[in-house]
Amino acid sequence: MAQIEIQDLSFTYPNASRPSLQNVELSIEKGEYVVLCGHSGSGKTTLLRHLKTVLAPYGKRSGRILLDGTDLSKTDGKRQATAVGFVMQDPDDQIVTDKVWHELAFGLESIGCDQKTMRLRVAEMASYFGIQSWFHRDVSVLSGGQKQLLNLASVMAMQPEVLILDEPTSQLDPIAASDFLNTVRKINLELGTTILITEHRLEDVYPVADRVVVMEQGKILVNGDPRTVGQQLFHRHKELFSTLPTPTRVFYGVQGKGSCPLTVREGRSWLTDSFRSSPPKVTEPK
């Protein structure tokens, strides 16, 4: 049984000329790392927000979303709060307290967690995310990267089974973004948390994804492993293909043979092997 099952989901915002989601069908297995991508306005954020009832937008909706086989609309708030974590684009939109330690504890307080368990989880998250040195700081003095890391730690203190991230690095500089995404990958590998992420920095998330889901105009165009998705976009959707990581674009652009590289390291190895097996011809000047 899939951990998340989206069945024929359609949604239209009030007074909108067309649906934002159209007959979306998607299954996500426990422990998967799934990247959701597509152009702005393709429906990515709308879809993600439907996976958390308190964040779901207002409008006309049809279809069902199941969490561990239970309709999400019939799942109580506490179960959703603990099972599904959500990290937003802007760090400041999610922070609700003035101290780092209180922010870590806020979610646990909200669900009535006992003090002993709360202290233990807060200490564990502070250690796991390496934020002990600013544990007692005011949130207002933190950088954007620190705030987003605090948001992530606060969500993980709830021990969610599914972690949803909606372009979490859009407000971060490249170094902070890379560190943040490496931490998300660590959570997936070490804790087994299911990851569903939208991210414009595809070079960092595309190669490590178990599955890539591409959306356009509220529909799912392609759904598969990164190499399969790259191949299908190259042949059928050239405009979307241009958003993929450089090694993948170069491989198909020169009609490469063998396994498509996903990272710069794989691309370098592929180039070396390609030149070794078929060295370029050198024309002597006349």
Side-chain angles (χ1 to χ4, degrees), residues 39 45 61 72 81 86 123 146 160 166 174 177 191 199 212 229 233 241 247 252 259 270-271 277 284:
H39 291 310
T45 295
R61 173 185 142 170
L72 198 62
F86 200 108
Q146 288 174 324
D166 183 17
L191 304 181
E199 177 55 51
V212 176
V229 167
L233 290 182
F241 176 78
Y252 286 107
S259 180
W270 169 75
L271 283 173
S277 60
E284 294 292 337

Side-chain angles (χ1 to χ4, degrees), residues 87 148-149 152 165 168-169 172 176-184:
V87 177
Q148 197 65 307
L149 188 63
L152 180 58
L165 305 103
T169 69
L172 307 185
S178 181
D179 289 343
F180 182 90
L181 293 173
N182 286 337
T183 301
V184 172

Side-chain angles (χ1 to χ4, degrees), residues 6-19:
I6 301 173
Q7 301 176 346
D8 196 26
L9 181 65
S10 295
F11 176 79
T12 305
Y13 285 99
N15 303 319
S17 59
R18 64 176 179 84

Side-chain angles (χ1 to χ4, degrees), residues 18-224:
R18 64 176 179 84
S20 294
L21 297 175
Q22 301 183 58
N23 308 110
V24 174
E25 297 270 352
L26 181 64
S27 296
I28 299 174
E29 300 296 329
K30 184 175 177 59
E32 273 196 299
Y33 190 114
V34 180
V35 172
L36 188 63
C37 58
H39 291 310
S40 178
S42 61
K44 305 186 301 296
T45 295
T46 300
L47 178 59
L48 292 186
R49 286 182 174 268
H50 274 92
L51 301 179
K52 188 88 168 174
T53 302
V54 295
L55 299 176
Y58 176 74
K60 182 180 179 181
R61 173 185 142 170
S62 62
R64 293 202 306 165
I65 300 174
L66 306 180
L67 176 63
D68 292 328
T70 302
D71 196 310
L72 198 62
S73 63
K74 299 177 182 178
T75 304
D76 64 75
K78 183 175 181 179
R79 165 65 178 156
Q80 284 197 44
T82 56
V84 181
F86 200 108
V87 177
M88 301 178 183
Q89 294 183 25
D90 191 335
D92 291 316
D93 287 346
Q94 200 160 348
I95 292 173
V96 295
T97 68
D98 59 345
K99 296 289 186 180
V100 170
W101 67 266
H102 197 186
E103 189 66 29
L104 287 170
F106 181 80
L108 298 172
E109 290 177 338
S110 301
I111 62 171
C113 185
D114 66 88
Q115 192 173 71
K116 182 179 179 180
T117 301
M118 191 186 310
R119 288 177 179 272
L120 178 61
R121 289 197 191 179
V122 167
E124 286 177 341
M125 289 302 101
S127 177
Y128 187 83
F129 289 93
I131 61 179
Q132 306 97 316
S133 61
W134 32 287
F135 189 74
H136 294 286
R137 288 186 189 177
D138 289 338
V139 172
S140 60
V141 303
L142 301 181
S143 67
Q146 288 174 324
K147 287 180 180 179
Q148 197 65 307
L149 188 63
L150 174 59
N151 282 330
L152 180 58
S154 301
V155 168
M156 290 308 299
M158 307 282 284
Q159 297 182 346
E161 300 162 21
V162 179
L163 178 60
I164 300 171
L165 305 103
D166 183 17
E167 295 197 7
T169 69
S170 61
Q171 306 292 323
L172 307 185
D173 63 75
I175 294 177
S178 181
D179 289 343
F180 182 90
L181 293 173
N182 286 337
T183 301
V184 172
R185 180 56 173 161
K186 180 182 175 183
I187 289 171
N188 174 246
L189 293 174
E190 296 182 359
L191 304 181
T193 306
T194 303
I195 304 295
L196 179 55
I197 183 172
T198 64
E199 177 55 51
H200 61 284
R201 290 181 168 92
L202 285 180
E203 287 82 2
D204 292 315
V205 296
Y206 192 89
V208 302
D210 296 310
R211 205 142 47 92
V212 176
V213 178
V214 183
M215 295 189 67
E216 182 68 17
Q217 296 184 348
K219 299 178 181 179
I220 292 180
L221 287 183
V222 185
N223 179 6

